[in-house]
Amino acid sequence: MNKGRTYHITTFGCQMNEHDSEALAGMLEELGFSESPERNSADVAIINTCSVRENADKRFFGTLGQLKKIKKENPDFTVCVCGCMMQQQHIIDSIKTKYPWVDLIFGTHNIHQFPQLLQNVMAEREKLVKVWEDGGEIVEGLPTKRLYKHKAFVNIMYGCNNFCTYCIVPYTRGRERSRKPEDILEEVRRLVRDGVREVTLLGQNVNSYQGDENTDFADLIYMLNEVEGLLRIRFMTSHPKDLSDKLIQAYRDCQKLCNYIHLPVQSGSRRILARMNRRYTKEDYLELIGKLRQAVPQITISTDIIVGFPGETEEDFEETLDLVRTVRYDSAFTFLYSIRKGTPAAQYADQIPEDVKHHRFNRLVETVNSISAEKNAAYEGRVEQVLVEGTSKTDSNTCSGRTEGFKLINFPGNSEMAGKLIDVKVTAGKTFSLEGEVL
Ligand code: 5AD
Ligand code: SF4
């Protein structure tokens, strides 16, 4: 009934949000909509927001501002906003007062109601706000329109119980809820039948997954390792305090589990880690890295680091640099601490001046990047198994893919290679990617 109508989705934030957008797209296609590459000429525009850092907030409000003109020219243009920011009352209040051209506001816990909400808004032309404070039952079986053909995200759990003092996620995504192992297995089998070769298991803290009495996260990996036709398993994100020896053993036993881990450390200072409520020390973290490397010598490791957390002294920051030099990460996502209203750290009196934060940030990025470049250069001459993603948008004779260790690699190739696992010899290692040639 919506034939000929189009939608456009703008997604901010993490993979969890990207995956939610895949579900929104799936639901819209079931309603008869098709995707429009242009936001301004679409019938329905959705903005899926992130609230982890302030920057994303600013970009969101900037985007909303731009839509005013479109709405004025075309009153049928339907503007929907959703995602983490909508779980905060002060954001909803400011949208209602300052951006009245928004038609529909919904939250992270009621995505499954979107088709109904959208139809109401479009039929009645009334504005709707529907944000549940917390998630009830997990809703299974939402259709999804996948972003990639050969790899897919699979949620295994929702929410977070950790309350790191800087983080808004426990407030926007609610408490931890795990999906049942049989539902996950069924989804993965279905994806594989559909051509998927690699799954990334998603959760804020996958290590505390508990599907039922007998199934923890490592058990789930062992189960998925048996799925025929699936070639690779990845996961994110993993909290160091909950990473079990059983999971480390799974790296050795499960051939499909990629030898790669994203293990956010956030800081190298014991004092700052305690103030962040991370519940491990620098020493605990380094011990864990030691165990992982002992079990899986070729494992690649990435992390998240926050610079300028309240009270961070020069010595604390030096501890972070020291940790980075000790671990020698393959890559690291670095963030300037950003105050999030409603979190404990927002109340801390000893906030760090912006110029100090930026200065430290630049030093950290330099350290991180030079190690990445050295690590990647060491790949020159090696042969890596690569899952080919497809050809480059700008050059149909260049393919890109990921090595088992999640390194991006570009090499001469053609579209027929997409979805295949092939051997590629690395010819050059750069800071953020590798170059290679097919053997
Ligand atoms: N400020 C800066 N970075 C943050 N992160 C989470 N909250 C904040 C914040 N308030 C970072 C953490 C986390 C990543 C997803 O975002 O490093 O691991
Ligand atoms: Fe946020 Fe900490 Fe939970 Fe990660 S573990 S989502 S940083 S509260």
Side-chain angles (χ1 to χ4, degrees):
M1 74 184 183
N2 291 302
K3 262 212 148 15
R5 285 184 166 166
T6 60
Y7 69 91
H8 183 277
I9 306 180
T10 310
T11 310
F12 292 101
C14 65
Q15 268 125 339
M16 201 86 69
N17 256 21
E18 267 193 34
H19 193 40
D20 285 348
S21 289
E22 289 183 329
L24 293 169
M27 291 186 269
L28 282 159
E29 304 242 335
E30 281 208 338
L31 291 175
F33 286 82
S34 56
E35 190 174 1
S36 152
E38 276 282 320
R39 180 169 58 214
N40 296 352
S41 56
D43 296 294
V44 175
I46 304 175
I47 306 172
N48 189 1
T49 63
C50 166
S51 54
V52 168
R53 285 171 298 274
E54 195 185 8
N55 225 348
D57 285 21
K58 285 192 186 139
R59 281 168 59 206
F60 166 65
F61 285 119
T63 307
L64 271 193
Q66 291 162 19
L67 296 184
K68 180 179 186 179
K69 195 168 144 258
I70 322 284
K71 183 83 179 179
K72 209 166 170 195
E73 284 163 8
N74 172 15
D76 287 337
F77 182 57
T78 305
V79 181
C80 312
V81 296
C82 61
C84 289
M85 282 176 77
M86 305 310 133
Q87 297 299 135
Q88 299 165 278
Q89 191 57 45
H90 69 99
I91 301 277
I92 297 179
D93 294 342
S94 81
I95 295 175
K96 283 206 254 179
T97 51
K98 295 191 209 137
Y99 305 88
W101 52 94
V102 170
D103 298 287
L104 170 62
I105 302 178
F106 61 102
T108 56
H109 302 297
N110 35 6
I111 285 182
H112 59 285
Q113 296 181 313
F114 172 62
Q116 195 60 50
L117 296 172
L118 179 68
Q119 278 168 324
N120 286 352
V121 166
M122 292 183 82
E124 316 283 334
R125 278 287 142 217
E126 58 168 349
K127 297 192 185 302
L128 264 180
V129 180
K130 187 89 176 180
V131 178
W132 290 351
E133 284 211 347
D134 212 339
E137 296 282 295
I138 292 175
V139 181
E140 290 290 344
L142 293 184
T144 54
K145 181 176 189 239
R146 292 200 320 274
L147 278 174
Y148 309 95
K149 202 163 176 300
H150 307 290
K151 58 177 194 179
F153 302 125
V154 175
N155 275 320
I156 63 164
M157 60 180 302
Y158 302 90
C160 182
N161 291 352
N162 287 318
F163 291 92
C164 300
T165 54
Y166 51 81
C167 186
I168 193 80
V169 168
Y171 309 89
T172 61
R173 294 265 167 180
R175 295 295 69 72
E176 286 176 4
R177 291 134 9 241
S178 295
R179 284 178 72 194
K180 293 202 175 55
E182 54 271 24
D183 289 336
I184 297 171
L185 267 169
E186 194 185 295
E187 178 173 348
V188 171
R189 288 200 193 100
R190 188 169 41 78
L191 288 167
V192 169
R193 281 198 296 276
D194 217 30
V196 166
R197 297 287 165 256
E198 174 182 304
V199 291
T200 301
L201 309 176
L202 294 180
Q204 303 296 345
N205 177 14
V206 291
N207 293 324
S208 61
Y209 172 83
Q210 194 67 53
D212 55 39
E213 317 75 276
N214 302 316
T215 320
D216 64 14
F217 183 54
D219 297 320
L220 182 69
I221 300 276
Y222 281 92
M223 288 161 89
L224 291 172
N225 193 52
E226 299 301 315
V227 174
E228 221 169 291
L230 181 66
L231 301 180
R232 285 177 165 184
I233 304 167
R234 302 185 190 279
F235 59 84
M236 73 185 312
T237 293
S238 171
H239 194 304
K241 78 175 165 57
D242 301 315
L243 200 153
S244 66
D245 290 346
K246 197 167 153 190
L247 180 63
I248 297 180
Q249 185 59 37
Y251 274 103
R252 306 182 66 150
D253 296 338
C254 302
Q255 175 247 329
K256 294 176 185 174
L257 180 59
C258 289
N259 291 326
Y260 163 70
I261 190 163
H262 180 67
L263 196 61
V265 68
Q266 314 298 1
S267 168
S269 153
R270 173 189 283 257
R271 204 177 61 85
I272 295 295
L273 285 169
R275 277 172 61 110
M276 286 176 163
N277 191 31
R278 292 291 289 178
R279 286 172 278 176
Y280 54 83
T281 62
K282 182 185 190 180
E283 292 71 27
D284 296 335
Y285 185 88
L286 289 174
E287 193 186 318
L288 201 53
I289 296 284
K291 276 204 235 172
L292 279 161
R293 286 204 165 127
Q294 195 179 11
V296 194
Q298 69 279 33
I299 198 164
T300 54
I301 305 176
S302 61
T303 199
D304 291 343
I305 300 170
I306 299 177
V307 176
F309 184 80
E312 184 186 74
T313 62
E314 193 54 32
E315 291 71 41
D316 292 319
F317 177 64
E318 286 291 342
E319 292 274 0
T320 300
L321 287 180
D322 178 66
L323 178 121
V324 166
R325 290 193 203 103
T326 308
V327 177
R328 293 182 57 78
Y329 291 104
D330 288 274
S331 65
F333 298 94
T334 47
F335 305 105
L336 286 163
Y337 169 71
S338 149
I339 294 186
R340 304 289 59 208
K341 203 170 165 181
T343 62
Q347 311 285 342
Y348 294 175
D350 39 8
Q351 301 289 331
I352 306 295
E354 286 302 313
D355 56 332
V356 176
K357 270 198 231 176
H358 279 93
H359 185 62
R360 288 183 189 158
F361 182 82
N362 293 340
R363 283 164 64 199
L364 177 65
V365 168
E366 249 172 57
T367 309
V368 160
N369 287 353
S370 75
I371 295 171
S372 299
E374 284 169 27
K375 290 221 123 182
N376 287 347
Y379 276 71
E380 286 174 19
R382 285 196 212 174
V383 175
E384 288 285 310
Q385 274 212 323
V386 173
L387 182 67
V388 185
E389 281 175 14
T391 53
S392 141
K393 278 200 190 95
T394 49
D395 175 5
S396 61
N397 296 316
T398 299
C399 278
S400 68
R402 295 271 173 181
T403 66
E404 180 173 346
F406 204 55
K407 290 184 189 282
L408 180 65
I409 183 161
N410 297 303
F411 50 92
N414 56 51
S415 57
E416 277 168 28
M417 293 175 176
K420 300 207 170 102
L421 205 53
I422 59 173
D423 283 340
V424 180
K425 184 170 172 185
V426 181
T427 53
K430 305 194 290 186
T431 307
F432 303 111
S433 64
L434 306 174
E435 279 173 18
E437 58 192 24
V438 179
L439 280 185

